[in-house]
Amino acid sequence: RRTLAALTAVTGLAIVLTALDALGIATFWENVHWTVSGIGGAALAIIGTRAAPPAERMVRGFLALGLIAYAIGQLIWDFQVVFGIGGVPGPSDVAFLLAAAPIATALLIAVRPHLSGAELRAGYLDGAVIFLTLSALIVTIFGGRAVSAAPAFGTLVLLYPIIFLATAGAGTVTALSIRIRPAMSGAWPLLGGTALLGLAWIGWLSAADGGAAPVGSPSSFLFSVAVLVIGYGAATWRSERSDSPVFEQTAERLLALLPIAAVLFSAVMVVVVEGPALVTMLTRISGGAVILLSAIRQALLLSERGIIVARGRKATDRERAARHSTQLALDALRAS
């Protein structure tokens, strides 16, 4: 927390200096708060990994890898600025985009010890359904702009919000499925920060218009806030289940409703959305995949329910046989 406080103070000061254009070098101050927050978020995650209990070390390690990748992307961006290659896309985008993969891997690892095989499969499918639904929504909203832009820039317009916002959505399903305790540390700041990072990219790319966004745009400040929040969440991650009956009931209801809402929403988008051919095709592919995955999940659920019912019948039959044997033994005892 002391490290976070120091990083927040330095980052906040650089943000203020950027907003004020202190000394007429706003670009310098902007890169300072991006760099401090990027390296600081990775440092927080590394500190948290070293201090993690054995059960949490692997999850925190993967989260740290994601933040290290983001910090590397920021350092590459700094070199691009120094050498006058500040536009988008650039080499830094590779590292920025790769940052989400270890974070998603960490969430998949975190859920495994807490769920049975059937619950795990259902959780993965629910996460995929939410990911694809959010992806279809993002394509619908930003697809027209992506198609009208240069191909490389247009691809980033879609990739950044999909990767970070949809990962946050799928991660929320994961956190609900293992009932992670609501707290101002750990999983929930991590997921909130990931969503903020997706929103920051949306705002920055909207202002960039094929190049670099104007210095001091509001979304540029959101990057630094989001990365520090993610770093703090990664450093304090704990897969600690909630003991609140209210949260348990809320999580169950959300997990039941979210896939249904996703299927209905995807079906509406498949039918209603009309636009450029590429946008329509991607929306329909995502919506169709949501419906297919939901059908698979339902089939697995019915299969699992059938197995449980069969086991229950066998147990009932054994109980009846035991009762009959006991009754025979009692009758024999009375006769004796």
Side-chain angles (χ1 to χ4, degrees):
R1 287 180 179 175
R2 286 193 297 269
T3 306
L4 176 65
L7 289 168
T8 302
V10 175
T11 302
L13 176 61
I15 286 174
V16 171
L17 293 173
T18 304
L20 297 175
D21 192 13
L23 304 177
I25 50 172
T27 301
F28 172 78
W29 299 121
E30 183 171 74
N31 282 281
V32 167
H33 73 73
W34 283 346
T35 305
V36 169
S37 62
I39 295 175
L44 285 169
I46 292 169
I47 292 169
T49 302
R50 294 182 62 185
E56 308 289 356
R57 191 161 294 149
M58 182 177 289
V59 175
R60 290 192 190 183
F62 272 97
L63 294 173
L65 280 177
L67 285 156
I68 289 169
Y70 194 91
I72 290 171
Q74 182 55 51
L75 291 174
I76 294 172
W77 171 265
D78 292 341
F79 280 106
Q80 288 177 217
V81 172
V82 170
F83 290 103
I85 318 171
V88 177
S92 58
D93 291 299
V94 177
F96 286 143
L97 290 170
L98 287 176
I103 294 174
T105 303
L107 294 172
L108 294 177
I109 293 171
V111 76
R112 293 186 67 177
H114 301 278
L115 300 177
S116 66
E119 290 173 329
L120 194 61
R121 289 189 291 273
Y124 285 164
L125 287 171
D126 285 344
V129 163
I130 298 302
F131 184 93
L132 288 169
T133 301
L134 288 173
S135 299
L137 178 62
I138 290 165
V139 168
T140 302
I141 295 173
F142 299 104
R145 182 166 183 269
V147 169
S148 64
F153 182 79
T155 301
L156 291 182
V157 168
L158 292 179
L159 273 182
Y160 272 118
I162 284 175
I163 285 177
F164 289 104
L165 283 178
T167 296
T172 300
V173 172
T174 301
L176 288 173
S177 66
I178 57 178
R179 311 294 193 269
I180 291 182
R181 185 173 63 87
M184 295 301 291
S185 61
W188 299 106
L190 174 78
L191 295 170
T194 305
L196 280 178
L197 195 56
L199 293 174
W201 277 112
I202 289 173
W204 196 85
L205 289 169
S206 297
D209 197 23
V215 176
S217 61
S219 55
S220 70
F221 303 141
L222 195 57
F223 281 119
S224 296
V225 175
V227 174
L228 286 179
V229 171
I230 294 171
Y232 178 66
T236 55
W237 173 279
R238 292 188 72 88
S239 302
E240 185 179 356
R241 290 179 67 93
S242 171
D243 55 3
S244 167
V246 174
F247 181 74
E248 178 80 20
Q249 293 174 0
T250 303
E252 286 181 3
R253 288 171 183 168
L254 286 173
L255 287 172
L257 290 174
L258 281 175
I260 297 172
V263 171
L264 293 174
F265 190 69
S266 297
V268 170
M269 282 196 295
V270 167
V271 174
V272 171
V273 170
E274 291 291 343
L278 181 61
V279 174
T280 303
M281 182 184 71
L282 290 175
T283 302
R284 288 177 178 171
I285 289 173
S286 299
V290 167
I291 295 169
L292 176 62
L293 288 176
S294 298
I296 293 172
R297 188 207 186 286
Q298 190 66 17
L300 289 174
L301 181 64
L302 292 173
S303 174
E304 183 69 16
R305 192 170 289 172
I307 292 171
I308 292 171
V309 170
R311 286 175 182 168
R313 285 174 180 168
K314 288 180 181 178
T316 302
D317 292 342
R318 286 196 295 269
E319 185 180 352
R320 286 174 180 169
R323 285 179 182 172
H324 183 64
S325 299
T326 302
Q327 189 60 49
L328 290 176
L330 288 172
D331 291 342
L333 183 60
R334 287 195 194 95
S336 176

